[in-house]
C-alpha cells in the first residue's frame, strides 16, 4: 500500500512582492532612460557651448584683424589730411612730426632762414622767394564744381587763378611784419595810407585768428621755470603735426602763376593790371581797398571761354 504523499507547502523564494519587484525594475529602467537622456542633453549642451565659444573667439579675432587693418589704412590716409574738403593740392599734403626751433628772442633766430628778423636784403629776398608761390592755378573742373566759372580770374589755358589760404596767411604775416618798419617798406606814407595800412593789418590779424582756430594745433606746450624770473615759460621742444613743406612746395611750383606775365591779370573793366610787368608802379601800394564793391559780372564777364 502506497504511503500517502506528504503535502508540501509552497515557500516563496523571497519575501519581496513580485509585482513590487517588477514595478521597481520598471521604475529603474524608466529612471535609467531619464538619466541617459539627461546625459545626452548635457553632452549636446556642452557641444553647443563649445561651438558658441569657438564662434565668439573667431568673431573676436576677425573683428580685431579688421579693426587693425582699417586703423592702419585710415592712419595712412590721415597722413594726407582729413579730406573733409576737396583741394587740388591734396596729393602734395603729407603730415609728419616736426619740432620747432626754440627761439626766446630775435637774436636766437637762425639768420640764414628766418623771415622775421631785423630787416635785411637777405630777409627781403627770402620773402620774395616765398611769395613767388602766392598765386596758383586751379583746374577749370574745380571751378565748375564750385559754381564760380563766371566769378573768377581765368587764365588763357582755361584754368583759374587762386591762392591757397596758408599762403594768404603768410602774406598777412609779411604785411604785419613790414608794418613795424614803415621807413624801409612804406617811406613817406600819407595819412590815407596809414589808415589803409591799419585796416589791412586788422584784416590780416582776423584772417590769422581764423586760420589758427581752423587748424588748431593740439600740441601741448608744457611749462618750465627760468632762473632769472619768477614767471614760467613754455617748453616748445616738442613735435608738432606738420605738413612736409618740401612736398607742398612741389605742388605750389607745379601750379605757380606769375602775375607779371602779360595776359594773366586783365581786369574786364580797367584792362591790364600790370601793363609794364614788374616795372609797373601800383598806385595803391598798401594793397588794400576800403569799401570794396563787387563787380557786375553780367556787365563785365570774367571768363573768356567755357569748355563744356
Amino acid at each position: 500500500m502506497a504511503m500517502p504523499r506528504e503535502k508540501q507547502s509552497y515557500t516563496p523564494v523571497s519575501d519581496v512582492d513580485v509585482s513590487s519587484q517588477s514595478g521597481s525594475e520598471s521604475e529603474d529602467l524608466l529612471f535609467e532612460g531619464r538619466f541617459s537622456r539627461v546625459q545626452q542633453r548635457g553632452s549636446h549642451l556642452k557641444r553647443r557651448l563649445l561651438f558658441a565659444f569657438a564662434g565668439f573667439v573667431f568673431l573676436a579675432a576677425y573683428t580685431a584683424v579688421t579693426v587693425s587693418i582699417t586703423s592702419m589704412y585710415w592712419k595712412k590716409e590721415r597722413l594726407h589730411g582729413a579730406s573733409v574738403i576737396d583741394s587740388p593740392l591734396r596729393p602734395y599734403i603729407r603730415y609728419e612730426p616736426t619740432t620747432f626751433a626754440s627761439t626766446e628772442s630775435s637774436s636766437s633766430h637762425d639768420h640764414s632762414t628766418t623771415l622775421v628778423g631785423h630787416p635785411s636784403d637777405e630777409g627781403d629776398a627770402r620773402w620774395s622767394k616765398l611769395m613767388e608761390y602766392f598765386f596758383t592755378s586751379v583746374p577749370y573742373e574745380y571751378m565748375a564744381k564750385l559754381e564760380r566759372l563766371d566769378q573768377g580770374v581765368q587764365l588763357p589755358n582755361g584754368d583759374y587763378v587762386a591762392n591757397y589760404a596758408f599762403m594768404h596767411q603768410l602774406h598777412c604775416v609779411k604785411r604785419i611784419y613790414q608794418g613795424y618798419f614803415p621807413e624801409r617798406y612804406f617811406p613817406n606814407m600819407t595819412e590815407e595810407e596809414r589808415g589803409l595800412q591799419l585796416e589791412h593789418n586788422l584784416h590780416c590779424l582776423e584772417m590769422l585768428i581764423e586760420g589758427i582756430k581752423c587748424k588748431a594745433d593740439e600740441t601741448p606746450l608744457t611749462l618750465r621755470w627760468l632762473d632769472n624770473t619768477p614767471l614760467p615759460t613754455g617748453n616748445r621742444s616738442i613735435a608738432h603735426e606738420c605738413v612736409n613743406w618740401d612736398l607742398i612746395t612741389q605742388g605750389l611750383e607745379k601750379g605757380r602763376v606769375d602775375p607779371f606775365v602779360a595776359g594773366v591779370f586783365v581786369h574786364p573793366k580797367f584792362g591790364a593790371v600790370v601793363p609794364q610787368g614788374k616795372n609797373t608802379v601800383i598806385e595803391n601800394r598798401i594793397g588794400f581797398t576800403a569799401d570794396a564793391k563787387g563787380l557786375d559780372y553780367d556787365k563785365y564777364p570774367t571768363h573768356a571761354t567755357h569748355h563744356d
Side-chain angles (χ1 to χ4, degrees):
M1 178 176 175
M3 295 292 293
R5 298 175 62 180
E6 185 177 354
K7 187 177 180 179
Q8 296 179 348
S9 61
Y10 175 74
T11 303
V13 176
S14 171
D15 293 335
V16 179
D17 183 79
V18 175
S19 62
S20 176
Q21 182 181 13
S22 299
S24 177
E25 288 177 352
S26 298
E27 191 172 315
D28 287 344
L29 291 174
L30 288 174
F31 278 110
E32 180 67 20
R34 179 180 175 185
F35 292 150
S36 176
R37 286 194 295 272
V38 169
Q39 290 175 350
Q40 290 176 358
R41 290 176 183 172
S43 178
H44 289 318
L45 181 60
K46 288 180 180 179
R47 283 198 295 270
R48 290 175 182 173
L49 290 175
L50 182 61
F51 287 143
F53 179 74
F56 172 78
V57 171
F58 173 79
L59 181 61
Y62 175 80
T63 302
V65 171
T66 302
V67 169
S68 178
I69 293 175
T70 304
S71 176
M72 288 189 294
Y73 171 78
W74 284 114
K75 184 176 181 180
K76 181 180 179 181
E77 287 299 305
R78 285 197 300 271
L79 290 176
H80 301 283
S83 298
V84 175
I85 64 167
D86 185 22
S87 171
L89 202 59
R90 184 67 61 190
Y92 299 92
I93 299 296
R94 187 178 72 231
Y95 284 90
E96 59 188 16
T98 303
T99 301
F100 299 166
S102 182
T103 54
E104 300 296 339
S105 65
S106 61
S107 61
S108 60
H109 292 172
D110 184 346
H111 296 289
S112 65
T113 60
T114 186
L115 293 166
V116 292
H118 289 281
S120 66
D121 293 341
E122 294 77 14
D124 292 344
R126 285 191 288 272
W127 271 116
S128 296
K129 178 63 178 176
L130 180 60
M131 287 297 110
E132 286 182 0
Y133 303 114
F134 184 75
F135 293 110
T136 189
S137 64
V138 294
Y140 175 92
E141 294 75 16
Y142 182 77
M143 288 292 285
K145 187 184 299 184
L146 295 179
E147 299 182 351
R148 292 184 177 180
L149 292 176
D150 298 321
Q151 301 180 24
V153 177
Q154 192 173 32
L155 294 166
N157 66 357
D159 291 340
Y160 285 76
V161 181
N163 61 68
Y164 289 106
F166 66 89
M167 289 301 300
H168 199 145
Q169 291 158 9
L170 285 170
H171 153 80
C172 281
V173 172
K174 175 189 175 185
R175 296 296 305 201
I176 295 172
Y177 164 71
Q178 290 181 342
Y180 281 99
F181 309 98
E183 296 80 7
R184 179 181 179 91
Y185 299 107
F186 307 101
N188 305 315
M189 291 178 68
T190 65
E191 286 300 318
E192 181 182 4
E193 286 180 326
R194 289 191 181 91
L196 289 176
Q197 179 81 314
L198 175 61
E199 288 299 320
H200 196 168
N201 287 351
L202 292 176
H203 151 77
C204 279
L205 286 170
E206 185 65 26
M207 286 204 66
L208 290 172
I209 291 171
E210 291 175 347
I212 292 170
K213 291 171 67 176
C214 173
K215 294 302 181 181
D217 184 350
E218 71 273 29
T219 306
L221 301 179
T222 58
L223 300 182
R224 61 191 179 95
W225 296 112
L226 298 177
D227 182 65
N228 56 342
T229 177
L231 300 177
T233 188
N235 188 342
R236 291 181 285 276
S237 299
I238 188 172
H240 299 251
E241 189 175 78
C242 302
V243 297
N244 182 301
W245 189 255
D246 291 336
L247 181 60
I248 205 172
T249 300
Q250 293 179 23
L252 294 174
E253 179 65 40
K254 183 177 180 180
R256 186 169 73 93
V257 171
D258 186 345
F260 298 105
V261 172
V264 172
F265 281 161
V266 181
H267 195 285
K269 179 179 179 180
F270 300 107
V273 177
V274 284
Q276 283 80 45
K278 292 185 178 181
N279 295 321
T280 302
V281 177
I282 304 296
E283 183 178 350
N284 183 356
R285 61 174 178 167
I286 303 301
F288 185 82
T289 303
D291 302 322
K293 299 177 182 178
L295 182 69
D296 184 344
Y297 294 110
D298 293 329
K299 186 176 180 179
Y300 300 102
T302 60
H303 67 280
T305 305
H306 282 186
H307 303 281
D308 296 331

